[in-house]
Amino acid sequence: MLFSACSKQSEFEYIDEEVTNTDESPNVTVTDENGNETTLTPGSTIGIYVVGEDGNVTLQQVEVDEDGNAILPSSNQGTVIAYTPWQEEWGDEALTSNPVFTVESDQTTQERFQASDLMIGSTSWTTRANGDESMTFHHMLAKVAIHIVDETGRVDLTRIGAELLDVCNSVHVDLAHQTVTSIEDARANIPMLSEMTTDWRISSYAIVAPQSVADGTKFFAVTLYSNRQEYPIPEAVTLEGGKTYTINMRLTKNGLIPDGWYITDWDDEGEKNIDIELY
């Protein structure tokens, strides 16, 4: 489960009149747009910088507990810059030092996939008693999805694995301006997260740095049982932050056959808008 895409908003809603905890530091609850379930799993972390009018920087690590709550910093006003997932080594200087973020080298679990999903948000935090404020988070990196449909009805799809080949996996992060710059010579093969979406379709996902891929480049590999086959990019493409690049494959009696590709906003793959409510 993930935050929403940059084209749709995730929000911090500051609601001071509903603060009930004794130290008057507001809490945060993460739910989906219908109020159904926690989106950030327990233990997930958000880094929040508050830059005061005097230029002083306050940094707090916010950890989501088992109930989906966390304490946010108390501050009357300033510029608020937040990101997730938390990076222990960044510190206050990350606002000016353009630190490096590297996606997980193995994204075969939901935890590692989510740890690769760098998101940044910013807002002007005025006196919260004046009313609600919101913060929009943006997915800074690109997502790749590979959908494989079994037309034979005879294959155990759980025995299929997918891997991206020699993709750019690191970026310099400009938190203040909410931008990233890919490090072109930082590259790796990335095993993908695979999920059965129906009895006849398996979908694989990975998050990578924004990058351009030339026509004919060997881009991904699929392993079925013990047979591994590499496939080229269908055509030259630019993988953009906040976008999902999807490749469709058909599994027929003659083997795996490419069946088109397309690019969408991140959340068109099924993510939801997220409200983070203070109470």
Side-chain angles (χ1 to χ4, degrees):
M1 294 179 291
L2 305 170
F3 276 113
S4 67
C6 61
S7 63
K8 297 185 180 179
Q9 297 183 352
S10 304
E11 295 184 346
F12 281 130
E13 293 186 352
Y14 303 109
I15 311 174
D16 268 16
E17 60 268 23
E18 298 183 11
V19 173
T20 57
N21 51 313
T22 56
D23 65 1
E24 296 186 354
S25 292
N27 290 338
V28 58
T29 299
V30 185
T31 59
D32 69 21
E33 61 188 345
N34 299 312
N36 292 325
E37 56 190 351
T38 299
T39 295
L40 285 181
T41 56
S44 299
T45 49
I46 304 168
I48 297 179
Y49 296 89
V50 179
V51 184
E53 291 184 332
D54 56 4
N56 289 333
V57 177
T58 301
L59 170 63
Q60 179 167 330
Q61 177 184 6
V62 173
E63 182 169 331
V64 179
D65 65 21
E66 61 183 7
D67 297 319
N69 301 324
I71 301 297
L72 288 179
S74 294
S75 178
N76 289 328
Q77 57 189 357
T79 298
V80 179
I81 299 171
Y83 75 90
T84 185
W86 170 265
Q87 302 296 296
E88 186 68 36
E89 67 278 10
W90 281 13
D92 292 354
E93 64 277 6
L95 284 178
T96 56
S97 65
N98 290 1
V100 172
F101 180 87
T102 300
V103 301
E104 294 289 315
S105 58
D106 181 342
Q107 296 183 27
T108 54
T109 67
Q110 185 66 45
E111 180 182 28
R112 292 171 181 165
F113 179 86
Q114 185 168 324
S116 302
D117 186 13
L118 175 65
M119 291 182 286
I120 303 175
S122 178
T123 189
S124 176
W125 192 334
T126 56
T127 303
R128 292 196 300 268
N130 291 336
D132 298 350
E133 298 180 39
S134 65
M135 181 183 296
T136 302
F137 278 83
H138 299 267
H139 291 282
M140 305 308 298
L141 306 184
K143 180 167 65 172
V144 177
I146 300 174
H147 301 312
I148 298 176
V149 174
D150 177 22
E151 297 182 355
T152 70
R154 299 193 302 269
V155 175
D156 179 2
L157 292 179
T158 64
R159 301 291 300 276
I160 290 180
E163 178 183 25
L164 298 184
L165 303 177
D166 193 36
V167 289
C168 182
N169 65 345
S170 297
V171 294
H172 286 293
V173 182
D174 185 340
L175 287 169
H177 297 94
Q178 299 182 65
T179 61
V180 298
T181 303
S182 298
I183 304 173
E184 292 297 335
D185 59 354
R187 313 188 75 83
N189 292 351
I190 300 179
M192 305 175 74
L193 173 69
S194 293
E195 300 176 333
M196 290 290 297
T197 50
T198 70
D199 291 341
W200 43 267
R201 189 176 91 160
I202 188 167
S203 298
S204 299
Y205 303 94
I207 295 171
V208 299
Q211 57 198 281
S212 295
V213 184
D215 185 22
T217 300
K218 288 292 180 68
F219 184 62
F220 66 100
V222 176
T223 300
L224 174 57
Y225 301 108
S226 60
N227 299 316
R228 184 177 186 273
Q229 180 68 45
E230 296 183 354
Y231 296 87
I233 198 83
E235 62 182 80
V237 68
T238 297
L239 308 180
E240 301 179 33
K243 302 289 186 179
T244 297
Y245 173 69
T246 299
I247 299 172
N248 290 327
M249 304 283 288
R250 295 165 49 222
L251 181 57
T252 71
K253 63 181 181 180
N254 296 319
L256 270 174
I257 301 173
D259 192 35
W261 65 275
Y262 53 92
I263 296 176
T264 62
D265 289 335
W266 185 288
D267 60 334
D268 285 353
E269 283 294 315
E271 321 304 344
K272 299 177 179 179
N273 293 344
I274 304 304
D275 287 334
I276 305 178
E277 297 184 353
L278 296 179
Y279 63 91

